Amino acid sequence: MAGAWRKVRGLSREQTGLTLDARDAREGALLLALTALTLIALVALAAALTGSPLARSANPLSLGALALALLSFVGSSAIQQLTTQSLVVTVSPAEGVSRVGIAVGVGLFTLAHVQVSAAPLYLANVALFGLVSTLFFVARPRPSYAAPVGFHAAWNWAQVAVLGAPTPGESHNPLAVFRWPAGPSWLFGGANGLDEGALFTAALVPFFGFALWWRAHHRFSRVSSRAHGEQARPA
């Protein structure tokens, strides 16, 4: 889809985020690891504080199966992010991503999940997740899919493959390392997993702050580089 938008709008591959360099890959991998570890730690802490600590499931531990599951989540997350962020770029002016573009992209991402649940907290969580993903997409001077895909894939993988969160239409998870905490549903969510719980919102807050900081950091670095270049330029 991003390629089609690029042809329609006449944008370059850099403007649409369809380039991947070593720095993109490193940042995507770093965010993937950070997201998975943070979410697992937060759920484990909340479970312990509510008297329902994480416990091993009856499933045999298979590192190979977990790795394959991660690859699967990377693929599905890439499709969703490509669809959403392509629209963000297309709606925005050629000079760069706009707030209107971000709003449209987040709206599309949220609308695509209405079929799962129309509960207000669920939709609010999905919208916040979409916003954080888009902030990671536009954090660099040029858009990059590596960070939002890593964030999205790790979030789903940690919930489903590691923590055993409930998923719509599935009564048994043969892969999960742990059993999902039997804590209060307002905190841990209901049949649709953590997405319907307040813990989802709380877990997203630090990533929202990190995404804002990351974007500001890249902007400051770009401005500093420009200023240094101008000072070094001979009169």
Side-chain angles (χ1 to χ4, degrees):
M1 177 173 284
W5 287 130
R6 180 168 59 87
K7 292 178 181 178
V8 172
R9 289 286 305 277
L11 300 176
S12 67
R13 293 178 63 85
E14 288 74 17
Q15 287 173 304
T16 55
L18 291 176
T19 57
L20 180 68
D21 58 22
R23 185 176 182 181
D24 292 330
R26 286 196 303 269
E27 290 185 349
L30 175 63
L31 191 55
L32 187 151
L34 179 64
T35 301
L37 292 174
T38 300
L39 185 59
I40 293 170
L42 287 175
V43 171
L45 177 61
L49 292 176
T50 55
S52 55
L54 287 179
R56 275 283 285 121
S57 69
N59 300 325
L61 179 63
S62 173
L63 297 181
L66 287 173
L68 288 175
L70 179 58
L71 288 176
S72 175
F73 279 117
V74 168
S76 61
S77 299
I79 293 173
Q80 291 188 57
Q81 290 300 324
L82 189 64
T83 303
T84 301
Q85 309 309 345
S86 293
L87 186 60
V88 171
V89 171
T90 304
V91 173
S92 300
E95 293 75 23
V97 173
S98 66
R99 293 181 180 179
V100 173
I102 292 176
V104 171
V106 172
L108 172 68
F109 185 80
T110 306
L111 187 62
H113 289 78
V114 171
Q115 59 180 342
V116 177
S117 174
L121 181 57
Y122 174 85
L123 294 179
N125 282 338
V126 169
L128 181 57
F129 187 91
L131 176 59
V132 173
S133 298
T134 300
L135 289 176
F136 282 129
F137 175 67
V138 301
R140 296 274 298 278
R142 60 169 177 77
S144 172
Y145 286 98
V149 169
F151 170 66
H152 194 161
W155 189 275
N156 289 342
W157 178 79
Q159 280 194 75
V160 178
V162 178
L163 297 170
T167 54
E170 298 290 338
S171 58
H172 174 63
N173 184 337
L175 179 63
V177 177
F178 296 99
R179 293 197 301 267
W180 187 245
S185 59
W186 65 267
L187 182 63
F188 292 100
N192 294 313
L194 186 60
D195 300 37
E196 292 182 326
L199 183 57
F200 188 105
T201 315
L204 274 179
V205 170
F207 287 102
F208 178 68
F210 179 62
L212 290 176
W213 172 85
W214 199 0
R215 190 180 186 196
H217 170 72
H218 281 302
R219 284 185 171 183
F220 177 77
S221 298
R222 180 172 51 179
V223 171
S224 298
S225 297
R226 286 179 179 175
H228 180 73
E230 291 176 356
Q231 290 177 358
R233 189 178 305 164

